[in-house]
Amino acid sequence: MAPTMDGELGATGIPIYPLGEVAFALILLAVLWRTGLLRRAGFRAPVRLRSAWLGLPLLLLAGLMLAGSQDLDTSLAMVIGVAVMVFGGSLTEEIIFRGTLWEGLAGLGPWARSVATSLAFGSIHLMGIASGIPATVIMAQAVFAFGVGLIMAGVRLSAGSIWTVVLLHIVFNFGALWAGGGIEGTFTAGVEPQLLTMGAILALWGCIVIYRWVRAPGSGRGHGDAPHAEPLYGAPVQGAGDLSS
């Protein structure tokens, strides 16, 4: 039996919860714009798709979940509901974790910055314990989210722009939620071993991506964002060398 979006769509079929996330994301963007933090948070930097391949495990995982899903619901209501939910949730989470919090931790090195934002990203998923979902599933989901966060942090470092991470997050979440039939479908009892295993693998890949960036020539060994990123304050990126020649 195909999963449904029950509980996530309003009585009229309008995705109430996802629309709330979209509204929250727009409010956060407006606050960043009004406070002058929009550029500093990486939203004014261009998309650098060449860094998206670093998130390959997430794309492959989303594809495998879609390919292995039985009786995939292709109805317009399902597709639109998941799309709106994914857009709002992904954008909101990236504004918070790889945007605002990332900028707030600018004084830290890439490892501390990446681990801190990933821990925060994983911890926010623990809020699901209050929903009645088994605590073991929620905790495993938090570990999985930590691994996802490390990959997102590595892509953020490499791209120097939050938009590459937003796009990666949207594609991954769309595949995962559509295959699961919505948020409720991703919290099925008995998935703890799979979530923990995948979380560990994703965390390892994320560490490799971060290590690769730190060891790259001109990275500054832990300071600033990607060496090829445009300076956010009108000054050269520390450790990038003289780019004027």
Side-chain angles (χ1 to χ4, degrees):
M1 181 177 179
T4 67
M5 294 283 285
D6 294 341
E8 295 159 29
L9 300 180
T12 60
I14 300 176
I16 302 298
Y17 173 73
L19 286 177
E21 288 198 324
V22 172
F24 185 57
L26 294 176
I27 292 172
L28 285 175
L29 282 173
V31 171
L32 289 174
W33 176 72
R34 290 292 296 176
T35 57
L37 293 176
L38 193 66
R39 181 178 180 86
R40 294 175 60 183
F43 284 94
R44 300 288 291 275
V47 178
R48 293 185 171 89
L49 292 179
R50 61 184 177 183
S51 297
W53 74 270
L54 297 172
L56 184 61
L58 297 179
L59 301 178
L60 291 176
L61 183 57
L64 287 174
M65 285 188 286
L66 282 174
S69 179
Q70 298 180 353
D71 298 325
L72 191 65
D73 188 350
T74 58
S75 66
L76 184 60
M78 170 63 79
V79 175
I80 293 178
V82 170
V84 175
M85 182 189 311
V86 164
F87 177 80
S90 301
L91 181 57
T92 302
E93 289 175 351
E94 292 310 322
I95 291 174
I96 294 173
F97 298 105
R98 260 70 62 176
T100 307
L101 183 58
W102 186 268
E103 172 57 28
L105 300 177
L108 301 180
W111 283 110
R113 203 179 191 186
S114 300
V115 171
T117 53
S118 299
L119 280 173
F121 181 62
S123 297
I124 199 70
H125 290 75
L126 294 175
M127 295 176 62
I129 292 179
S131 65
I133 299 172
T136 54
V137 177
I138 295 297
M139 288 187 286
Q141 187 84 357
V143 172
F144 176 81
F146 172 74
V148 173
L150 281 179
I151 292 182
M152 297 293 185
V155 175
R156 178 72 169 84
L157 283 169
S158 176
S161 165
I162 197 173
W163 290 115
T164 307
V165 187
V166 169
L167 290 176
L168 178 62
H169 200 152
I170 287 174
V171 172
F172 172 70
N173 274 3
F174 184 80
L177 292 184
W178 191 16
I183 291 177
E184 295 176 357
T186 63
F187 294 100
T188 305
V191 300
E192 295 92 335
Q194 295 94 317
L195 286 174
L196 291 173
T197 300
M198 289 187 294
I201 294 174
L202 295 178
L204 177 60
W205 180 275
C207 287
I208 293 174
V209 172
I210 298 168
Y211 177 81
R212 175 180 177 273
W213 183 88
V214 171
R215 301 296 297 180
S219 69
R221 295 274 179 145
H223 301 284
D225 274 336
H228 57 271
E230 294 183 358
L232 300 183
Y233 309 102
V237 177
Q238 183 177 358
D242 185 5
L243 303 179
S244 61
S245 58

